[in-house]
Every structure is written in C-alpha cells, then in structure tokens.
Amino acid sequence: MTKPIVGIIMGSASDWDTMQHAAQTLDALGVAYEKRVISAHRTPQLMHEWTTGAAARGLQIIIAGAGGAAHLAGVAAALTALPVLGVPMESASLKGLDSLLSIVQMPGGIPVATFAIGKPGAVNAALFAVAILALGDPRMKAALDDYRAAQTKKVTETKLP
C-alpha cells in the first residue's frame, strides 16, 4: 500500500458523513491518505501529537473537517507548517455558518484555506489538495487533468428531455 500523503481529520465520528467525500475523491485520484477522529477540545494531547508528527509520517497536506466552534483546522495550522484545508461541517443550529466563520476567521500568520460547508467543501478540499500535490508530481497532475476532463465530458454530453 502507498504511504499516506494527505491526512483527513475530523472533530467527531459524525463528521465522517461529510468527510467521506474527501476520502472518496482522493481514492478516485489515487492519493493515499490517513483518516482520524481528533478533537481540538476533547483530545488536545492527541491533537498535538498527531499534528506535530504529521510531516515526519510523510503527510504533505491536512484536510480538517470541523463543526461548531470549528477550532480543529486552526489548531492544526498552529501546530504545523503543512497546508491545512478547512471544511466547515453543517450544524443543526446555524446550518454551518458558525463553522464557516470560525474556520475562515484565522488571525494573520496562521493560514487555513477554507472551503464550502459540507459535501461540496469536502470534495473541493480533496481536489485542492491534489492540485497542490500535482505541482511536483506529474502522475497527480495527469489524474487531476483526467478528472477535470471527465467532468467536462459529462456536462457536454448531457441531453435534456
């Protein structure tokens, strides 16, 4: 099996309903990843150990899905220089707007790239991760090009009733 180069983390197991779409997108593009439930609030020591050891394990990018206060992505970005891609989870109370604003409002100096709320954000975070990796990997560039060509073909071949 190929060594993981992307880490997918989420604040709770319920976030997998959304984050599985990032994993499926990476699978479709042939990118190895590891996935883990880690809470910035409930497992701070684990958060610290996992994130500070990510680069040594070979990870190059972290995709962090978080809801509510959504500190997971920001804490990860504070603990590593690896690119962190934040995916806001849809929440019951504010439909994910709370998550979106928590992730996107990082202080200057600790960047987190922030994507759309929910499934579209998870898919786009995975695609963005591959786009970054493709800068130095011709195989990933080809996989991403093929993915985009397939999207174009699907749209151009659509027949309306």
Side-chain angles (χ1 to χ4, degrees), residues 24-132:
Q24 291 166 357
T25 302
L26 293 173
D27 285 337
L29 293 165
V31 178
Y33 58 88
E34 62 181 58
K35 59 188 186 290
R36 185 88 191 252
V37 172
I38 300 176
S39 171
H41 301 115
R42 294 180 299 271
T43 61
Q45 187 62 37
L46 173 61
M47 177 78 202
H48 186 272
E49 291 168 5
W50 186 90
T51 307
T52 58
R57 288 192 313 279
L59 298 185
Q60 296 179 38
I61 296 176
I62 296 171
I63 300 173
H71 291 135
L72 187 68
V75 172
L79 292 170
T80 183
L82 294 175
V84 176
L85 313 180
V87 179
M89 295 296 104
E90 187 170 340
S91 59
S93 57
L94 296 174
K95 304 297 182 206
L97 185 58
D98 50 342
S99 308
L100 173 66
L101 294 175
S102 293
I103 296 172
V104 80
Q105 285 298 108
M106 288 299 296
I110 307 294
V112 173
T114 309
F115 292 85
I117 298 166
K119 178 182 174 180
V123 170
N124 283 340
L127 291 170
F128 195 78
V130 177
I132 293 169

